[in-house]
Structures are given as structure tokens and as C-alpha cells.
Amino acid sequence: MRTFLLLLLLVGAMPDQATAQKLSSKIDSLITTVVKDSNGPGAVFLVAKNGQPVYHKAFGKANLELGVPLSTRQVFQIGSMTKQFTAIGILLLEEQGKLSVNDAVSKYVPDYPAGNRITLHHLLTHTSGIKDFTKMKTLNEIAQKEMTPKMMVDFFKNEPVEFAPGEKFEYNNSSYVLLGYIIELVTGESYEAFIQKSIFQKAGMQQSRYATDRQVILNRADGYQKKESGYVNKTIISYSVPFSSGSLMSTTTDLLKWQNALNQQVLLKKEELQKAFTKYKLNDGTEITYGYGWHIKDVNGVPSREHGGSIFGFKSMGVYIPEEDIYVVGLSNCDCNSPTQLARDIAALLLQEGRKKEKQ
């Protein structure tokens, strides 16, 4: 009943509950075309309009061994959606006067090869040219080791560069590991503690945290992968390896709090925050569709801010449409259920319904 009433608010003064039910059913249908196995791992989707949830449902199981169904309270690993938090962390420090996005990497890591030519801006926009550690053949050697941020930076820093800084856009996890390391060097505290204090606490994100497989986490969803033989438990890795490029955990509810905190300028003033949502240019003037921690795209011609994530056993996707204040976020506990296109399709459906309302 609550979902239907909220959906009524979404599309305006619609004639009856049946219309809200129809929209809810359309969203259900989109999701179940991807999340097909109700007895397998699944996903949670939240849709919000004007900062308020209008649809929030869970599909599939949180734990296959125990047959526990997913709930909307479940905690997931969010993979590369972590980059949003790292980017905002850097902007927080810039607003406080502790660094500048135009600073050279060598200011903080003096021995970084060609660090005087690579800026924090290059790292934030994936235009640094440094080697992405996820593409290194030796990654398996450290995947389950406990690494310090310095050890991670040392792991990839001497690899040959792919291109000159600012020459190309190429998605890069190493850049965001380096940014997390710089956050630690500047603040004198761990990345985990900094994000917890400066972002999670301020935004009221009580169920979000740095990932761990050892501590007991209330409402944690177990992660799975699908092989030819069926579902298997996720591959074990050390979260100190993806670090600030992909090691945070959250819930759909907390991620809405995150989006609302950004909109309400709880964390950053408008001018500083806008840097995250700007399309930047390469050295030759070519515009790229990435800001700081967000892809800057569009859904059916309407500007959007998006980012997804993928880490063993989990996938995530968030799509925000500023013009309509629509936020769609999907979190999955299996690499077999990608929410990426689903979140975009749901956002497109809401835009379509809104346009219908305008024509009435």
C-alpha cells in the first residue's frame, strides 16, 4: 500500500490506486527480466522522486545456504560506486584548503614516476595514463594479501604509462587508489576513518562502512557468482587491494541519503560540488563524459549522473536525473544480475510517465 501511495505522488494526482499499481508492475517487470531466479541471489531497487522513495523492493535471496530472502535493508558491497565517495573526499579537502585538484601527485608522493606531470585532476577524471592495477598479470599474487595503501601504490607505480596525462580517457582503478592514499597523507588518518567521519556520519548513512569479511555486519547480503555448474560463493579478496577504488558497503536507503546530502549541500558548497558534475576536456579539447566520480551522460536526452560498480559477487548502479530529481539505485548480490541497464531503463520509464502527466 505504501509503495502505491508514493507512486501516486510521483506521477501527480492520478485517478486511482490501479494506476499506481500499473506503474509499480512495470518496474517489477523490468527487474524480473534480469533477476529471473527467485530462488537465487537477487537485487534490491529503490526509486526516489524529490528525495523521497516511491518504489523500494527486494528480489531473490540474501543467503542461498539458508534460503533467506533479500530485504530492502540489506547491506551490499558497492564496488566502484566507492569512487564517488573518494572524489567527494578530495573536494572536501580542497574546500578546507588542504589541497587543490590542480596539485601534482609529486607534492604528496615525491618518488612517484613523472608525478610532477600528473595532477589530482588527472586522477579524478581517469586521464592520468598510469597503469590500471586490475589489468596487471601479477594481481593474483596480492589479491588475498593485506596491503597498506603505500604497498598498493608501490605495486603499480613503476609500470609503464599507457599515455601522457590528459591525452586520453581510460577508466582507471589505480588513480582512485592513489587518491585514497593522498587523502590519508593529507589528513593523517585512515581512508576508512575519514570517509566514516566526514561523509557517512554527516549524511546519516548508518549502515555504510568499509568492507570486511571478518566482522559481523547486520543484514549483510552474501555475494555469489554464477558458473556453468550453478551458483558459487564469491571469490575471496582482500579489500585493501581495491581500497578507495572499490571497497565500500552500503544499502539502497543509505545511498538515497547520500544523494540527498549532495543535493542539500550538507557536505560541500554548490560551487565546489559542481566540479564533480562537470564534463572536462582532454589536452586536444575533446570533451569527455566523466566528472569527478560520476559519468555525466543522459537518459533519453535528459542529463544524468551515473556510476556503477562490480566486485566479486556484487554489482551496483546509481542513476540521478537532476532536472526531475529522480534517483534510481540497484544493488545486486550476484555478478549474474547486473543493475546497470535496469537502473537506466527504470529512470527512462519514470521520465516517460512524467511526460504523460504533463500532457494530461
Side-chain angles (χ1 to χ4, degrees):
M1 176 64 74
R2 175 175 166 78
T3 298
F4 299 155
L5 291 174
L6 289 169
L7 284 167
L8 285 172
L9 293 174
L10 167 64
V11 294
M14 300 179 79
D16 52 40
Q17 185 174 309
T19 311
Q21 167 73 71
K22 187 176 180 181
L23 180 56
S24 179
S25 295
K26 285 182 179 179
I27 298 174
D28 289 348
S29 296
L30 285 172
I31 294 170
T32 53
T33 57
V34 175
V35 187
K36 299 176 181 179
D37 185 359
S38 60
N39 292 313
V44 175
F45 279 83
L46 182 149
V47 180
K49 172 70 173 174
N50 297 329
Q52 295 297 317
V54 296
Y55 176 98
H56 201 192
K57 286 190 182 181
F59 301 79
K61 304 294 184 184
N63 181 285
L64 299 188
E65 290 89 340
L66 300 176
V68 177
L70 276 167
S71 80
T72 55
R73 300 184 303 277
Q74 231 75 56
V75 179
F76 296 78
Q77 290 171 221
I78 62 171
S80 283
M81 283 186 77
T82 296
K83 291 180 174 68
Q84 298 181 354
F85 297 89
T86 301
I88 294 301
I90 290 290
L91 292 178
L92 279 168
L93 293 175
E94 181 173 66
E95 189 172 82
Q96 294 166 13
K98 295 179 180 178
L99 55 72
S100 166
V101 295
N102 296 314
D103 287 341
V105 168
S106 58
K107 180 176 180 179
Y108 306 99
V109 189
D111 64 344
Y112 200 92
N116 62 323
R117 297 173 56 210
I118 303 168
T119 65
L120 305 194
H121 170 81
H122 290 133
L123 300 180
L124 287 160
T125 55
H126 301 284
T127 58
S128 68
I130 66 178
K131 184 75 172 184
D132 187 337
F133 73 86
T134 64
K135 298 177 181 177
M136 293 171 60
K137 294 180 180 179
T138 51
L139 179 59
N140 285 340
E141 297 174 11
I142 65 163
Q144 296 183 351
K145 292 183 179 178
E146 193 61 33
M147 304 285 284
T148 65
K150 183 180 186 305
M151 289 167 67
M152 274 305 302
V153 172
D154 288 345
F155 176 69
F156 59 74
K157 75 177 185 182
N158 292 312
E159 290 292 309
V161 296
E162 304 285 338
F163 51 85
E167 187 177 283
K168 288 174 60 179
F169 168 87
E170 195 166 296
Y171 192 81
N172 191 300
N173 290 284
S174 295
S175 292
Y176 274 75
V177 165
L178 190 48
L179 288 167
Y181 181 43
I182 290 170
I183 285 174
E184 293 200 346
L185 293 172
V186 170
T187 64
E189 57 188 334
S190 71
Y191 172 82
E192 177 180 356
F194 173 78
I195 295 296
Q196 187 70 42
K197 177 185 71 177
S198 301
I199 295 180
F200 291 161
Q201 287 182 12
K202 288 184 178 179
M205 301 171 67
Q206 298 180 353
Q207 306 307 313
S208 301
R209 55 166 301 138
Y210 194 90
T212 172
D213 276 337
R214 294 188 61 81
Q215 295 179 23
V216 174
I217 298 174
L218 187 65
N219 293 321
R220 179 210 296 267
D222 287 299
Y224 298 94
Q225 293 168 275
K226 193 171 185 180
K227 307 294 185 182
E228 288 185 12
S229 59
Y231 299 114
V232 297
N233 288 301
K234 69 178 177 67
T235 299
I236 300 297
I237 62 165
S238 168
Y239 299 117
S240 63
V241 174
F243 183 47
S244 49
S245 75
S247 285
L248 296 182
M249 304 179 75
S250 193
T251 66
T252 48
T253 298
D254 266 12
L255 288 171
L256 175 57
K257 291 179 180 180
W258 162 240
Q259 183 59 55
N260 288 344
L262 295 172
N263 288 349
Q264 295 160 11
Q265 298 168 40
V266 171
L267 303 169
L268 284 170
K269 294 176 183 176
K270 186 176 181 179
E271 183 179 357
E272 188 71 24
L273 180 61
Q274 194 55 39
K275 293 182 181 182
F277 310 132
T278 299
K279 289 183 180 180
Y280 293 101
K281 294 181 179 180
L282 300 175
N283 297 340
D284 65 2
T286 302
E287 188 176 73
I288 61 173
T289 57
Y290 200 93
Y292 293 168
W294 275 266
H295 294 277
I296 312 301
K297 297 187 177 182
D298 69 87
V299 175
N300 292 348
V302 183
S304 64
R305 304 166 184 169
E306 311 175 9
H307 215 289
S310 182
I311 191 167
F312 293 121
F314 296 89
K315 286 184 180 291
S316 63
M317 184 63 175
V319 177
Y320 181 64
I321 300 177
E323 285 183 20
E324 303 295 334
D325 198 2
I326 292 171
Y327 184 57
V328 181
V329 61
L331 302 177
S332 168
N333 64 330
C334 182
D335 58 9
C336 58
N337 295 324
S338 174
T340 304
Q341 189 57 44
L342 267 178
R344 288 179 55 81
D345 290 345
I346 294 169
L349 174 63
L350 267 67
L351 284 173
Q352 183 182 31
E353 293 299 325
R355 286 168 181 164
K356 285 181 182 178
K357 171 63 173 60
E358 290 174 1
K359 292 178 180 179
Q360 288 177 357

